[in-house]
Amino acid sequence: MPLSSPKTPSGPPTASAMVGGTWLAVLRRWTDAVLYSSMWLALAALALTWATFLFWRVDIPVRLALMIFTATLFLYNIDSVLPYKHRQPVVLSGRKRWMLEHRRELLALALASLAVAGLLFFLDGWQHLTLFLGHLAAISLLYSMPVVKVRGHWRALRDLPLLKVFLIGYVWAAITVWVPALYLDKPLLGPVVFLLFARRFFFILALAFVFDIRDYTKDQLTGTRTFPGLFGVRATKYIALASLAAGSVLFPAGIGYAHMLILAVPIIVAALTIWYAEESRPDYYFALLTDGVMILQFVAVYVVRW
């Protein structure tokens, strides 16, 4: 009679397994909330702004930091709850499903963030920069709102051919470099500020291409002509890497080789993130890793300057 193979014990899950599963579920819910409510992205905006202050060896003012953080929260969350976006023929990812399920909470967070940012704007006397900050807010708001009619269809700024990555690069560089420069009375067109702006622009532009790759199918369905749609994903990666390389050589004067090596770390991580970007990657690849490269940029500057 042949020997029977040992059977794996079966039965209800153990208490430790249930506790572990519960903690993982809680961790997943909180991670989704932080990432998909744009809190992680707002932290990245704050981190890059702080990095610019660190270049001039100045601590970022707490109230300005809060204004940048809440303004970013408002702009990205108000964008995510726009009604017309949810009528588009798109493939729903886990991120999109989460946003649909939490539209009320995202709207409440957006309005609360607007209230805080607006209050700080008036209390701290930024009114003289209303025109400058207003044009950045206008670009951000009109980025996803239908503003121009093309061939019988209303289009947002992001829908204009090949434009959206440059809009993202410009607005992020302006907020995270020009706002600190204005606060410190630095000339926006001065050589140092211009170099920092260009370096930040090319860095953000390179990362923006990654999100074009993520949105490849959605942009195809909605008729948005992006770099991956017109030139292909592989060509887009090469363009993104070229942008990253262009920004990486723009080092301010006086940076030593050891510091250059530290500052190269986020550039290398960004390059790897770009190269391995695929539309099929999980949502965390884009929301956590790609946005996290911006926070890594701050960490590198913090280590170099302190």
Side-chain angles (χ1 to χ4, degrees):
M1 186 175 180
L3 294 173
S4 59
S5 58
K7 295 183 178 180
T8 303
S10 60
T14 63
S16 60
M18 292 177 65
V19 171
T22 301
W23 276 107
L24 286 175
V26 171
L27 179 62
R28 178 67 178 265
R29 283 198 298 271
W30 278 102
T31 302
D32 288 351
V34 170
L35 296 180
Y36 303 151
S37 68
S38 297
M39 294 189 70
W40 181 245
L41 191 63
L43 183 61
L46 168 57
L48 289 180
T49 307
W50 191 351
T52 304
F53 275 98
L54 286 177
F55 173 78
W56 283 301
R57 296 188 179 276
V58 177
D59 291 328
I60 186 171
V62 174
R63 285 160 60 138
L64 176 58
L66 182 58
M67 189 175 78
I68 295 292
F69 181 82
T70 52
T72 306
L73 269 184
F74 163 70
L75 291 170
Y76 275 88
N77 281 308
I78 204 67
D79 175 83
S80 67
V81 299
L82 289 174
Y84 96 98
K85 295 185 70 174
H86 299 289
R87 296 194 296 267
Q88 293 177 333
V90 298
V91 178
L92 285 182
S93 63
R95 178 178 63 93
K96 283 291 185 182
R97 279 193 293 270
W98 190 95
M99 289 179 175
L100 280 171
E101 293 169 359
H102 297 84
R103 285 180 67 187
R104 290 183 179 180
E105 292 88 345
L106 292 177
L107 178 59
L109 179 59
L111 295 178
S113 299
L114 175 62
V116 174
L119 181 63
L120 291 171
F121 175 83
F122 285 103
L123 290 179
D124 291 350
W126 289 90
Q127 293 90 324
H128 65 290
L129 296 176
T130 298
L131 186 61
F132 169 76
L133 296 175
H135 96 280
L136 297 176
I139 293 173
S140 302
L141 290 171
L142 299 178
Y143 175 79
S144 293
M145 294 178 63
V147 292
V148 61
K149 204 169 188 178
V150 180
R151 298 178 183 176
H153 297 283
W154 286 98
R155 298 289 186 182
L157 289 180
R158 58 163 287 143
D159 296 323
L160 300 180
L162 306 181
L163 185 60
K164 69 175 189 174
V165 289
F166 297 102
L167 292 175
I168 294 171
Y170 171 72
V171 171
W172 273 74
I175 291 294
T176 62
V177 174
W178 278 349
V179 169
L182 288 169
Y183 185 88
L184 298 172
D185 294 322
K186 307 285 185 182
L188 297 189
L189 298 181
V192 174
V193 176
F194 182 78
L195 183 144
L196 291 175
F197 178 88
R199 179 178 172 86
R200 185 66 48 75
F201 172 80
F202 284 118
F203 179 72
I204 297 297
L205 180 64
L207 295 177
F209 284 115
V210 174
F211 294 96
D212 265 3
I213 294 172
R214 180 198 67 183
D215 296 337
Y216 176 80
T217 298
K218 185 196 79 170
D219 288 335
Q220 292 286 89
L221 291 172
T222 57
T224 302
R225 301 173 69 185
T226 62
F227 279 85
L230 291 177
F231 306 112
V233 170
R234 181 171 288 270
T236 299
K237 290 181 179 181
Y238 286 126
I239 296 171
L241 291 174
S243 175
L244 192 65
S248 66
V249 300
L250 299 176
F251 278 106
I255 298 294
Y257 288 112
H259 289 172
M260 290 175 65
L261 287 175
I262 296 173
L263 293 174
V265 172
I267 302 297
I268 294 171
V269 174
L272 292 172
T273 303
I274 292 166
W275 186 251
Y276 289 104
E278 300 293 343
E279 186 183 18
S280 59
R281 294 287 184 194
D283 290 322
Y284 282 7
Y285 184 91
F286 303 98
L288 181 62
L289 178 59
T290 309
D291 288 341
V293 172
M294 293 186 279
I295 297 177
L296 182 61
Q297 175 86 309
F298 157 75
V299 173
V301 174
Y302 188 88
V303 170
V304 165
R305 289 298 163 188
W306 297 95

